[in-house]
Amino acid sequence: MPLVPRILVFAGSIRTGAYSGRTADIAQKELALQGADVTRISLADYPLPIMDEDLEERDGVPENAIKLARLIDMHDAVLIATPEYNGSMPPLLKNTIDWVSRVRSDGGRRLQPYAGKLVAICSSSDGHFAGIRSATHLRAVLSHIQMEVISPQVSVPHGSEAFDDNGEFREERLRKGMQRLCHALIERATMMSRRVEP
């Protein structure tokens, strides 16, 4: 039986109506339309303190970081939609990435959620540059933690005008870009997965 890739999708903002959240919604729909098994989460459901090694030494890695590490580990790929704050990724997203990178085990089982994990990036902003600077910084961080970042990327400019009343992209260019990104992610995830369908 052909593998149905499992893909985890989340946005780097938890603001109501965030452009990154709306972009993640479109990615979720397109991935499902193309046959993926999609899990959509909000980082609001996994609150974490500011990364602090003294806190880690005293209390250990927070349980929500371990939960996120498990989620990443059980999926074949991840799609992250990031906003841009002052020319870079938001602190919520960076803090989440940093805490999950501290997870080494889960109940005695060795756990390295990032190494070799496939990931795709989307970005958005209300300006002309579409969050590209944030996406560039995110790509560098994800590569550093040994994730496999695919080349296709969707960057959404002028976020306040980019979505129609149904939550879809107004521009055909963005719609086709999302189709290409999702196709590439699914194809690579299917090739790289070590899972075997029953």
Side-chain angles (χ1 to χ4, degrees), residues 50-193:
I50 295 296
M51 178 66 201
D52 179 346
E53 290 189 22
D54 289 338
L55 177 66
E56 180 185 3
E57 178 69 23
R58 186 179 71 241
D59 300 331
V61 175
E63 181 62 26
N64 279 335
I66 297 171
K67 288 178 180 178
L68 284 167
R70 286 182 197 135
L71 270 174
I72 293 168
D73 184 62
M74 68 186 285
H75 287 80
D76 299 303
V78 180
L79 185 146
I80 303 172
T82 182
E84 183 170 290
Y85 289 9
N86 295 318
S88 189
M89 74 186 85
L92 170 66
L93 180 55
K94 183 61 165 61
N95 191 58
T96 300
I97 291 169
D98 289 346
W99 266 123
V100 173
S101 75
R102 307 298 289 182
V103 178
R104 301 286 186 270
S105 63
D106 179 21
R109 177 178 71 94
R110 189 166 181 251
L111 182 58
Q112 291 184 297
Y114 291 144
K117 185 66 64 174
L118 196 64
V119 60
I121 296 171
C122 296
S123 67
S124 58
S125 77
D126 206 19
H128 176 69
F129 293 110
I132 289 172
R133 293 166 296 188
S134 175
T136 299
H137 292 174
L138 178 58
R139 185 175 292 268
V141 169
L142 298 178
S143 296
H144 181 78
I145 58 177
Q146 300 179 6
M147 297 187 85
E148 297 284 341
V149 190
I150 67 170
S151 296
Q153 177 177 307
V154 173
S155 295
V156 183
H158 308 296
S160 60
E161 305 166 4
F163 306 91
D164 65 22
D165 292 340
N166 296 317
E168 304 295 340
F169 290 135
R170 293 185 188 276
E171 288 189 35
E172 180 69 11
R173 173 185 65 86
L174 291 174
R175 291 195 293 269
K176 288 184 175 178
M178 184 63 81
Q179 289 169 2
R180 286 193 296 270
L181 179 148
C182 291
H183 176 77
L185 187 61
I186 289 171
E187 187 174 58
R188 286 284 301 280
T190 302
M191 289 172 53
M192 291 175 62
S193 179

Side-chain angles (χ1 to χ4, degrees), residues 17-28:
Y19 309 135
S20 58
R22 297 172 82 176
T23 302
D25 290 342
I26 292 172
Q28 175 187 0

